[in-house]
Amino acid sequence: MKSSRPGLFPKASASPTADPADVEHATGGREAEAELLEITNELATARERLDLTLEAAGAASSWNWDISANRLFADTRFAAMVGLDPLDLKAGVPTRYFFSAIHPDDVPRIRLAVAGILAGAEIFSKDYRLVKRDGSIRWVRAEGRGEADDDEEPVRFVGTLVDITDQRLAQERLRIAQEAGGIGTFEHAAGFATVNVSDQLCRLFGLHPTKVLPIKTLNDLIHDGDPLIIDLARPDGPQSIADREFRITRADDGKVRWLAQRGEYVEVAQGSQRYIGVLYDVTETKASQEQLRTANLALAERARGSMRERNRMWQNSRDLVLVLSGSGEIKDANPVWREILGASPSLALGRSIVDFTWPEDKASMLEAMEVASKGGRSDFELRLKHADGAPRWISWRTSQEDGAIYGFGRDVTLEREQAETLKDTEAQLRQSQKMEAVGQLTGGIAHDFNNLLTGIIGALSILRRRISAGRLDDLDRFIDAATTSAHRAASLTHRLLAFSRRQSLDRQAVDVNKLVNSMEDLLTRTLGEKISLSVLVHPETCCAFTDANQLENAILNLAINARDAMPKGGKMTIEAENVILTKADISRNEEIQPGPYAVIAVSDTGTGMTSETIAKAFDPFFTTKPIGQGTGLGLSMIYGFAQQSGGHARITSQLGMGTTVTLFLPDGSGADKVSIGSAPSQHGSLMGEGEVVLVVEDDSAVRLLIVDVLKELGYRTIEAEDGEHALPIIESAQRIDAVVSDVGLPGINGRQLAEVALARRPGLRVLFLTGYAATASSRADFLGPGMDMMTKPFSMDDLARKVREMLAKD
Amino acid sequence: MSEIDIELDELERDALTELVNIGVSRAAASLRKMVHKQVLLSVPSVEVITRKSAAALIGQRESENLIAVQQEFDGPFSGRALLIFPESNGLTLVRAIVGDDMSEEELLEMEAEALAETGNVILNGCLGSMANMLKKSLKMSIPDVRRGNSASLFHVGTEDTNEGFVLFLYINFSVRDHDIRGYIAMIMDLPSLEVLKTLVAAFIERVTQEAP
């Protein structure tokens, strides 16, 4: 072929049978011509068949680049691919035709590669584009070799050209798909420690793109314990083709990613299989899955939590929890039902709550259900009936929702019992305290009385002895001693009566200013030198309607308390003025009516009291003084006196600042005034003029004394020991000018007797004598016209004066 | 100096690949003559990377220890050339070249020597023809066999790795039906690399303009 003719492109057949020399000496020219035609046709057919075959087989076309001759030879197929005349190529063309159809952009690198071959390189393997005459582009793969002669000089460049357009297209599609989807592919043949990989796969692992990687390189990037791509523990066996996911640490940036692997075995040749798989990044999917899962878990947990919580409350509540219909039918009851009511809650279901209600509370329960079903939230205490028949106090609260009533009931039976017990115990305690105090008091009084009685009895004995012995001189001393003791005893009983609020008050209009002023000397002496007294009386202070002696007594008592509250000295103030109390001035627990009052306030600058002390200050026997120093009766007595006067006593105090006790006494402006500080009026003759006096007294000693005195005074007397004996005398025609009667008599009392007597004998004078009289505590209410009263003990002189006064009032 | 200056464009990469191909083909021819066996060498691609990347790259791909033949080169561009194999591949290459007649002991004994010789042929052929094509000449030192991991071969951490660039080539050997893969690494400093690039540009100019 080295002698081919360049530039000549004969269309004639290359077949030797076509040589014209052979035709000339043929006997039958026609015959030969026909034969030639036949052969030519056959040849054309064969060529056509070859083309078709080649085309069908995708067979390679080949070229032969004669380096030394600088000519290019190629087969028909090559000619077809590059668009040159096959005959020309068969004959040989200049080598530049090799590049004639190559896409301009690919020419430089193909020239480079060819230059390499011409310079001695051996391997030529290039993909490039050919531009067809119609403008279409085909991708081809050129695989060639440089061949050298014995002197290592390149002489020939041979190779084949294969159309790879479809393959290339498929590859491009695959590459685009891989890159777009981030999908890496790999191929592994059993027994190999390496795996063929795509660039994308390398990128997934953060590796430098390459075609082949050791499996170990990939497996080493997979986290311990996660599945491997290819298990090298069994390199020759079939690999698991199960879908899997694993974590990797990327080689380049060290990031942890999740990859998913899918793959299968594909038969590439008879008995030869390849494991072909793909890998793709599922980190984001994983992350969102994980987020979703966590969120779901959290949600479920929360739901479970609230369910558990609800359940826990239902199960463990110490309170009854009931679900009731609007009519009170029990739909559900929590387990504590059994604990509180002694029966299974299941037995209660379907029955009415009223069935379990304590009989006396059934009506209230029905009412409560009525309120609750209307949405009213109600709190009430009603009893349920325990299975053993005992009542259980339940404190209820209900709510209503969607037609159902939710009842929450707390068992307060025990609390109630305890409160009851506490109340009893407190009462008992108070009683025993009272008894103790009464014991202490009566002991003290007995002691005082005994002392006084000893003085009286002793003096009387001495008098008797002296009189018997005729020693009448110096008797007065003993008479005075006895009298003093007796007066002290009288004063003691008076105080007791005041404490018991059973004293008889002689209420009159008392000039408060005058009274207070008259006491100043006494108080100054009582308070001592360390305490200064200041009296601030409003000049227009009205009269108080009260008992002057008791008021004096009260002020003295308050002054003594004030003194005791100021052991280190201080200032005591007594004020007097008028006030008009309105409702707003009176606190709820104060027993006083609105209106005008005379007010006397005694203040000190002493230790003061706590609010607890104030609350109890008026209680009988309450004292802050050491035992023996006070009876605890002072303030109680004052309070009793004020109340009995129709007034009030009030304490205001602050710890460390001092105390003020204020007495409110009714305005006595309209009443008769009593003279204060004036000496008793001197009487004229106390002697009777033979008037008849009926003396009714159950105490014979007292009766004896009275009768004796009256006789001495010149009265005639009739004695009766009680009402029973007195009535016949009163109803008789016997002259009676006056009746002197004890109030507290056995049988009919003195007051009743007086009524009978006055009915019988209008104008009769009646003088009551009383130690204490429940009904006679207020003299004015007790006494009718023609009546008068004396309080025991009294002196015989007073008695004489009183009787005389009564009889003189005609 | 920015990165772009050392990056190769596609044509430069093709040109360098071709230059190396010419070189390894020469080397293969030499080997054929030495061992009278079919030897094919091919270089699918080349790239320029830093020494650190080169070390990481081989480290990623090769799980076993490496063996390398090293030669210094000096000329318009100078540096160190390394022919690197996984250790087992190195032994396979030696066996393929010397034949199966030798025992394992003898083989191990002469491994380094045989490798140095083979490496010398390949590197000399490669660099020599490369220089030749670029119309320059290089002086080569005596070969030296080294073992170690990729980091130690590229002196990562022991030298200033930022100063060095590597012209990195994959090389496939086919010797008597044994497929052996390896790497050729030409470690150069920046000035040398720039010279090389200039020379390659001239080569490209020459080849692509030249009418065949």
Side-chain angles (χ1 to χ4, degrees):
Chain A
M1 303 283 269
K2 285 182 184 176
S3 56
S4 61
R5 296 158 292 177
L8 253 176
F9 293 80
K11 299 273 187 288
S13 153
S15 163
T17 51
D19 198 310
D22 292 337
V23 183
E24 276 175 24
H25 55 90
T27 46
R30 273 186 198 168
E31 212 174 288
E33 210 166 318
E35 200 179 340
L36 178 63
L37 188 65
E38 194 180 330
I39 291 167
T40 308
N41 282 344
E42 272 177 24
L43 185 65
T45 310
R47 187 174 290 157
E48 201 174 336
R49 193 174 288 133
L50 177 67
D51 277 355
L52 285 171
T53 310
L54 280 171
E55 203 161 336
S61 53
S62 60
W63 78 85
N64 177 3
W65 178 322
D66 186 335
I67 293 170
S68 45
N70 209 20
R71 290 196 74 80
L72 174 69
F73 301 91
D75 59 14
T76 315
R77 181 85 192 122
F78 186 92
M81 287 175 77
V82 299
L84 292 175
D85 190 307
L87 289 178
D88 287 352
L89 271 175
K90 190 181 178 187
V93 293
T95 54
R96 66 170 186 280
Y97 283 99
F98 185 82
F99 304 101
S100 60
I102 296 178
H103 192 284
D105 290 351
D106 292 341
V107 170
R109 59 183 185 92
I110 303 306
R111 279 195 188 279
L112 270 178
V114 171
I117 294 294
L118 300 182
E122 291 181 331
I123 310 289
F124 181 92
S125 175
K126 293 288 165 190
D127 292 353
Y128 53 88
R129 287 163 288 180
L130 293 177
V131 183
K132 295 277 191 172
R133 273 192 206 137
D134 61 3
S136 68
I137 289 172
R138 305 296 292 179
W139 273 95
V140 293
R141 173 166 297 159
E143 300 273 6
R145 277 165 46 79
E147 289 175 0
D149 60 14
D150 292 346
D151 302 327
E152 294 296 333
E153 282 305 312
V155 291
R156 236 187 329 274
F157 171 36
V158 296
T160 56
L161 205 58
V162 180
D163 188 314
I164 56 161
T165 307
D166 292 344
Q167 193 186 333
R168 183 85 188 187
L169 209 58
Q171 267 179 353
E172 278 302 294
R173 280 197 199 109
L174 186 62
R175 184 187 60 78
I176 290 165
Q178 284 199 20
E179 280 174 9
I183 297 167
T185 56
F186 67 87
E187 239 180 274
H188 177 249
F192 278 75
T194 57
V195 62
N196 295 331
V197 295
S198 69
D199 286 0
Q200 188 60 35
L201 186 135
C202 295
R203 279 195 282 274
L204 282 175
F205 280 84
L207 293 169
H208 206 86
T210 184
K211 302 284 178 241
V212 179
L213 276 173
I215 293 165
K216 189 171 182 301
T217 300
L218 295 176
N219 282 351
D220 281 352
L221 294 170
I222 295 174
H223 288 201
D224 281 349
D226 284 2
L228 300 169
I229 295 177
I230 305 285
D231 190 0
L232 285 176
R234 33 184 303 187
D236 297 328
Q239 293 289 324
S240 161
I241 57 161
D243 294 350
R244 67 198 79 166
E245 286 173 355
F246 47 80
R247 286 160 299 167
I248 58 152
T249 300
R250 275 216 301 241
D252 52 356
D253 56 12
K255 282 188 177 148
V256 173
R257 309 294 294 180
W258 274 97
L259 299 185
Q261 177 176 342
R262 308 273 181 275
E264 56 189 71
Y265 274 94
V266 174
E267 190 157 337
V268 289
Q270 189 67 39
S272 167
Q273 287 204 319
R274 291 239 173 137
Y275 176 33
I276 298 175
V278 296
L279 287 170
Y280 50 95
D281 194 306
V282 292
T283 312
E284 269 73 41
T285 318
K286 269 275 186 198
S288 52
Q289 271 175 355
E290 183 57 28
Q291 254 169 358
L292 198 64
R293 200 181 67 87
T294 311
N296 269 332
L297 272 181
L299 202 64
E301 184 49 41
R302 210 152 51 211
R304 265 200 299 278
S306 71
M307 186 78 90
R308 267 203 301 272
E309 218 162 85
R310 212 202 76 130
N311 216 18
R312 208 160 33 230
M313 276 170 58
W314 178 266
Q315 289 293 333
N316 301 329
S317 170
R318 294 164 74 170
D319 295 347
L320 270 179
V321 184
L322 300 181
V323 184
L324 304 162
S325 74
S327 60
E329 186 195 328
I330 298 172
K331 298 287 190 191
D332 207 351
N334 70 332
V336 82
W337 175 279
R338 180 192 293 278
E339 206 175 298
I340 294 175
L341 298 173
S344 167
S346 59
L347 298 176
L349 303 187
R351 296 178 60 187
S352 171
I353 182 69
V354 179
D355 295 349
F356 296 93
T357 306
W358 187 251
E360 290 165 31
D361 290 350
K362 278 181 196 250
S364 308
M365 182 61 92
L366 276 171
E367 212 171 286
M369 284 299 117
E370 180 84 18
V371 171
S373 66
K374 284 175 183 159
R377 184 194 174 91
S378 45
D379 294 296
F380 51 92
E381 282 193 16
L382 286 178
R383 283 165 289 185
L384 293 185
K385 199 167 151 188
H386 191 272
D388 65 9
R392 305 297 294 180
W393 275 103
I394 309 291
S395 173
W396 292 98
R397 167 163 292 185
T398 62
S399 65
Q400 187 261 0
E401 203 175 298
D402 299 335
I405 301 171
Y406 294 88
F408 304 90
R410 175 160 300 179
D411 185 353
V412 293
T413 312
L414 200 62
E415 284 88 334
R416 280 212 164 211
E417 282 170 358
Q418 279 171 345
E420 223 32 68
T421 310
L422 189 65
K423 220 156 80 184
D424 290 351
T425 312
E426 273 176 358
Q428 280 169 14
L429 181 67
R430 267 199 300 276
Q431 181 61 24
S432 71
Q433 277 174 337
K434 201 184 280 176
M435 293 314 290
E436 189 187 326
V438 168
Q440 194 178 11
L441 180 73
T442 50
I445 291 167
H447 175 257
D448 284 357
F449 256 111
N450 284 336
N451 282 343
L452 297 170
L453 290 175
T454 304
I456 296 166
I457 295 166
L460 289 173
S461 322
I462 291 169
L463 283 173
R464 183 189 291 273
R465 268 207 313 277
R466 291 242 177 150
I467 291 167
S468 313
R471 290 173 55 196
L472 300 180
D473 60 318
D474 204 19
L475 288 181
D476 285 352
R477 201 155 55 93
F478 299 100
I479 293 168
D480 287 347
T483 308
T484 306
S485 292
H487 278 301
R488 282 171 56 201
S491 146
L492 185 61
T493 53
H494 214 84
R495 285 215 301 277
L496 282 171
L497 288 171
F499 151 63
S500 68
R501 301 176 198 173
R502 294 288 180 264
Q503 67 184 333
S504 180
L505 287 185
D506 189 5
R507 281 168 54 174
Q508 285 171 311
V510 177
D511 185 335
V512 174
N513 281 359
K514 209 165 177 185
L515 183 133
V516 172
N517 285 325
S518 75
M519 288 182 75
E520 204 169 333
D521 277 353
L522 172 69
L523 293 173
T524 308
R525 276 199 304 279
T526 310
L527 294 172
E529 288 171 358
K530 286 191 286 183
I531 296 166
S532 67
L533 174 68
S534 136
V535 177
L536 305 169
V537 291
H538 197 277
E540 290 178 10
T541 307
C542 66
C543 291
F545 189 65
T546 185
D547 184 316
N549 289 326
Q550 293 300 327
L551 178 57
E552 202 178 279
N553 209 352
I555 293 170
L556 188 60
N557 249 303
L558 290 175
I560 290 165
N561 279 351
R563 181 196 66 193
D564 294 345
M566 298 184 284
K568 291 176 184 168
K571 184 179 175 186
M572 191 187 109
T573 310
I574 300 182
E575 293 157 286
E577 60 177 337
N578 295 328
V579 298
I580 295 176
L581 290 183
T582 64
K583 276 190 178 169
D585 298 325
I586 301 163
S587 68
R588 201 147 32 116
N589 50 4
E590 287 185 315
E591 295 172 24
I592 184 170
Q593 298 299 314
Y597 288 90
V599 173
I600 301 134
V602 179
S603 307
D604 64 56
T605 56
T607 49
M609 300 182 208
T610 63
S611 52
E612 288 81 11
T613 307
I614 294 171
K616 288 188 263 183
F618 288 133
D619 287 356
F621 309 116
F622 180 82
T623 178
T624 56
K625 294 172 186 174
I627 290 172
Q629 285 191 20
T631 54
L633 288 176
L635 280 175
S636 165
M637 200 174 79
I638 290 163
Y639 183 76
F641 153 70
Q643 288 283 318
Q644 212 178 336
S645 297
H648 185 61
R650 186 186 276 173
I651 297 179
T652 50
S653 179
Q654 215 171 344
L655 209 56
M657 302 291 285
T659 305
T660 300
V661 179
T662 312
L663 296 175
F664 296 85
L665 298 169
D667 186 353
S669 306
D672 296 336
K673 275 195 185 175
V674 69
S675 55
I676 301 293
S678 60
S681 58
Q682 288 300 312
H683 310 282
S685 171
L686 294 177
M687 297 303 286
E689 292 162 353
E691 292 97 334
V692 179
V693 179
L694 172 61
V695 178
V696 189
E697 169 62 68
D698 57 339
D699 188 318
S700 56
V702 175
R703 194 171 69 234
L704 175 71
L705 274 169
I706 295 169
V707 167
D708 228 47
V709 167
L710 290 175
K711 275 182 178 165
E712 264 185 41
L713 289 171
Y715 297 103
R716 286 184 288 155
T717 58
I718 309 165
E719 292 178 49
E721 63 185 69
D722 55 22
E724 302 280 334
H725 292 86
L727 278 177
I729 300 166
I730 289 169
E731 287 172 355
S732 72
Q734 168 83 44
R735 174 185 170 179
I736 301 172
D737 295 299
V739 177
V740 174
S741 172
D742 190 12
V743 176
L745 290 170
I748 56 170
N749 63 30
R751 184 71 174 79
Q752 290 163 330
L753 182 69
E755 272 174 37
V756 175
L758 283 168
R760 188 83 187 171
R761 300 165 184 259
L764 186 70
R765 306 291 174 210
V766 181
L767 175 64
F768 292 114
L769 306 175
T770 178
Y772 94 89
T775 51
S777 57
S778 182
R779 184 181 288 242
D781 299 338
F782 182 78
L783 297 178
M787 300 184 196
D788 207 338
M789 181 151 74
M790 286 188 78
T791 308
K792 290 180 186 173
F794 47 83
S795 70
M796 291 304 138
D797 287 351
D798 289 347
L799 177 68
R801 198 178 303 123
K802 204 82 179 176
V803 172
R804 187 68 263 154
E805 278 174 19
M806 280 176 62
L807 290 174
K809 283 182 189 167
D810 280 325
Chain B
M1 288 278 151
S2 68
E3 284 244 337
I4 289 154
D5 290 315
I6 62 131
E7 288 260 316
L8 298 177
D9 67 29
E10 206 179 334
L11 212 55
E12 285 174 323
R13 202 185 342 263
D14 278 353
L16 271 170
T17 307
E18 231 32 77
L19 288 172
V20 176
N21 255 325
I22 297 163
V24 298
S25 298
R26 286 275 154 84
S30 305
L31 283 176
R32 274 198 293 277
K33 275 185 186 159
M34 273 167 64
V35 302
H36 302 291
K37 281 161 195 155
Q38 183 58 277
V39 176
L40 279 175
L41 293 176
S42 74
V43 176
S45 74
V46 0
E47 53 196 311
V48 173
I49 51 181
T50 63
R51 267 209 308 232
K52 204 170 161 181
S53 305
L57 220 146
I58 299 180
Q60 281 172 14
R61 291 175 198 184
E62 304 303 335
S63 46
E64 55 184 297
N65 246 356
L66 303 171
I67 187 163
V69 181
Q70 177 182 289
Q71 279 183 287
E72 312 268 334
F73 57 90
D74 195 13
F77 53 95
S78 21
R80 248 172 344 122
L82 288 160
L83 175 65
I84 305 164
F85 305 101
E87 244 180 352
S88 59
N89 275 9
L91 206 61
T92 309
L93 179 65
V94 172
R95 179 171 291 284
I97 286 168
V98 301
D100 298 326
D101 308 336
M102 274 188 194
S103 71
E104 196 75 11
E105 289 77 31
E106 289 170 312
L107 200 65
L108 279 171
E109 221 167 79
M110 64 165 305
E111 186 195 8
E113 207 180 319
L115 262 180
E117 201 54 44
T118 312
N120 188 35
V121 170
I122 294 168
L123 289 175
N124 249 323
C126 192
L127 284 157
S129 57
M130 214 166 118
N132 202 27
M133 289 301 291
L134 297 171
K135 302 191 185 303
K136 299 289 169 187
S137 69
L138 289 173
K139 279 193 287 184
M140 305 284 289
S141 74
I142 292 166
D144 167 25
V145 174
R146 301 178 54 201
R147 292 167 197 271
N149 60 23
S150 60
S152 71
L153 288 182
F154 288 96
H155 297 300
V156 173
T158 58
E159 290 172 26
D160 185 356
T161 46
N162 288 329
E163 277 299 305
F165 293 93
V166 178
L167 182 64
F168 196 82
L169 324 169
Y170 303 89
I171 180 164
N172 291 326
F173 291 73
S174 177
V175 184
R176 284 209 308 178
D177 304 329
H178 289 89
D179 282 325
I180 296 158
R181 71 176 184 282
Y183 311 87
I184 291 174
M186 291 167 60
I187 306 173
M188 286 174 283
D189 57 11
L190 194 61
S192 291
L193 192 64
E194 281 174 329
V195 171
L196 179 60
K197 279 189 72 172
T198 316
L199 293 173
V200 168
F203 170 71
I204 293 168
E205 183 78 14
R206 244 185 349 264
V207 170
T208 53
Q209 298 303 313
E210 197 177 305

